[in-house]
Amino acid sequence: MLIKPDAIERNLIGRIISRVEETPLKILDMKKVFFSREMTEQFYGEHKEEEFYNRLINYMADKNVVALKLEGLDAIKILRRLVGATDPKKAEKNTIRADFGLGTPQNSVHASDSEKSAKREIDFFFGEKN
């Protein structure tokens, strides 16, 4: 999970982490990272052909993010339900994006959508090279 720049700028890190801690998920590791343009393009590379890619890169690049490494039974399912739909206007009430998101891509958090993505994203932020 990533806490995005809009949430960091509005001092929401603690409130978002509290929401995670209210679930059965366990936070194994956490760190604040300066997300360089190169890192941002690499992280979101799978979306390069999408219409939202440039807007997302411009929003995320050269800013701080907070990366969380989470663990738990059905972690992806629990986390996706906690964060809500990508568009905060369409997110269910009482989800992180509904409560804190400003729009897209300023929806306050990023959450892995599959086990494959989760493994890649955890390695990206918490692997041996980091």
Side-chain angles (χ1 to χ4, degrees):
M1 172 180 191
L2 290 182
I3 300 176
K4 290 183 171 184
D6 68 274
I8 293 170
E9 291 165 5
R10 292 180 290 137
N11 297 314
L12 297 174
I13 297 169
R15 292 175 70 184
I16 291 171
I17 290 171
S18 291
R19 296 270 186 107
V20 173
E21 291 178 326
E22 292 169 2
T23 73
L25 301 177
K26 183 175 181 177
I27 298 173
L28 299 179
D29 204 350
M30 174 175 34
K31 65 179 166 180
K32 191 174 190 181
V33 177
F34 180 75
F35 214 27
S36 70
R37 179 163 290 276
E38 181 181 332
M39 285 177 69
T40 306
E41 289 172 352
Q42 183 182 354
F43 186 78
Y44 287 112
E46 66 189 272
H47 300 296
K48 194 167 180 104
E49 301 305 318
E50 301 289 342
E51 58 85 19
F52 61 82
Y53 178 78
N54 287 329
R55 189 166 34 107
L56 177 63
I57 297 302
N58 289 332
Y59 160 67
M60 296 289 294
D62 298 326
K63 296 181 182 97
N64 288 314
V65 297
V66 174
L68 287 86
K69 181 179 179 181
L70 305 173
E71 169 184 81
L73 186 63
D74 293 324
I76 294 167
K77 182 179 174 182
I78 290 168
L79 185 60
R80 298 295 292 180
R81 190 170 48 235
L82 176 67
V83 302
T86 303
D87 182 346
K89 293 175 188 163
K90 297 178 183 175
E92 222 174 289
K93 286 181 90 170
N94 300 317
T95 61
I96 291 171
R97 289 174 173 158
D99 291 346
F100 303 126
L102 301 174
T104 55
Q106 300 90 349
N107 58 6
S108 299
V109 292
H110 166 88
S112 304
D113 61 1
S114 68
E115 247 182 82
K116 181 180 176 185
S117 292
K119 287 177 183 171
R120 181 185 68 78
E121 293 170 6
I122 288 168
D123 187 52
F124 186 90
F125 287 102
F126 301 101
E128 287 181 28
K129 64 181 180 191
N130 299 311

